[in-house]
Amino acid sequence: MSTTGTAARLRHLRSSPTKARQVLRLIQGQDIESARNTLALCERSIAVELSKLLDSAVANAENNDQIPADELFVSSAFADEGPISKRFRPRARGRGTRIRKRTSHITIIVSRFADEELQRRRQAEATGPARGRATRRRARPPRAAERAAAREAEHDHDHDHDHDHDHDHGDDAAEES
């Protein structure tokens, strides 16, 4: 994966680069649609800002380079340190400790898939969703259900599983009345 492509930068984001890098690692190398889904499902608050930045990078590629969004992927994503604001917090015995309010500069670079990869993706899209791992799981019934069905078939006689004693409560109630 090369870093040549269309970039979008977010500067002076009031969040530490360490927190941003954790989320950026999730989307690196993904196509745009799955990167958007990943950011939408990410619980970290910085994912909202990164989602906006990803949309900006895609818009830059569409408008400046005339590349459709479905042909793009996140080729590179990184977070650099920005300026650090230093504050002091009063502590015991007249002391003060330094608080560092970190900022970050985030860059997302989107690139066009190679022609072979685009052909492979279009071919897979044309054949349908039968290639995905999740679809294979849905097509085959779960093994636990198969075992339960087999047990049910060999254990096919009527009796009450709720009681361990030998008498039937229905017959006693009928005889007493």
Side-chain angles (χ1 to χ4, degrees):
M1 290 182 210
S2 64
T3 57
T4 59
T6 309
R9 288 176 187 82
L10 176 60
R11 303 192 67 214
H12 303 287
L13 177 66
R14 186 51 200 92
S15 181
S16 74
T18 315
K19 293 176 183 176
R21 286 182 192 122
Q22 290 177 345
V23 180
L24 288 173
R25 260 186 243 121
L26 295 174
I27 64 169
Q28 199 161 13
Q30 290 187 348
D31 63 286
I32 298 303
E33 192 61 35
S34 61
R36 282 181 176 148
N37 291 338
T38 302
L39 290 174
L41 295 174
C42 185
E43 294 178 355
R44 295 193 173 256
S45 61
I46 198 168
V48 175
E49 301 296 328
L50 294 179
S51 180
K52 292 178 188 177
L53 184 62
L54 179 65
D55 291 342
S56 176
V58 170
N60 289 347
E62 288 178 330
N63 293 323
N64 300 343
D65 300 335
Q66 286 72 41
I67 303 172
D70 59 337
E71 296 181 2
L72 294 171
F73 72 100
V74 180
S75 61
S76 181
F78 50 90
D80 298 323
E81 287 188 14
I84 299 173
S85 302
K86 296 176 179 104
R87 303 288 183 264
F88 286 92
R89 175 167 223 88
R91 301 305 295 243
R93 301 170 68 179
R95 293 189 182 129
T97 56
R98 182 177 283 184
I99 296 175
R100 291 173 226 49
K101 294 185 177 261
R102 299 180 184 275
T103 61
S104 51
H105 301 317
I106 301 173
T107 305
I108 294 180
I109 300 174
V110 293
S111 299
R112 187 174 182 270
F113 281 114
D115 291 331
E116 304 85 38
E117 177 68 17
L118 280 173
Q119 284 179 343
R120 188 188 65 75
R121 285 175 167 271
R122 287 184 181 133
Q123 213 170 28
E125 204 173 90
T127 58
R131 293 190 52 162
R133 181 183 289 176
T135 355
R136 275 189 261 137
R137 283 191 190 136
R138 271 189 244 115
R140 186 185 75 220
R143 290 188 181 138
E146 288 174 357
R147 277 185 258 142
R151 260 183 289 171
E152 191 76 27
E154 70 184 41
H155 196 67
D156 196 22
H157 59 278
D158 291 333
H159 60 80
D160 194 7
H161 287 280
D162 294 338
H163 301 287
D164 289 335
H165 28 84
D166 294 338
H167 63 279
D168 188 19
H169 290 286
D171 293 338
D172 291 341
E175 291 174 11
E176 290 177 11
S177 45

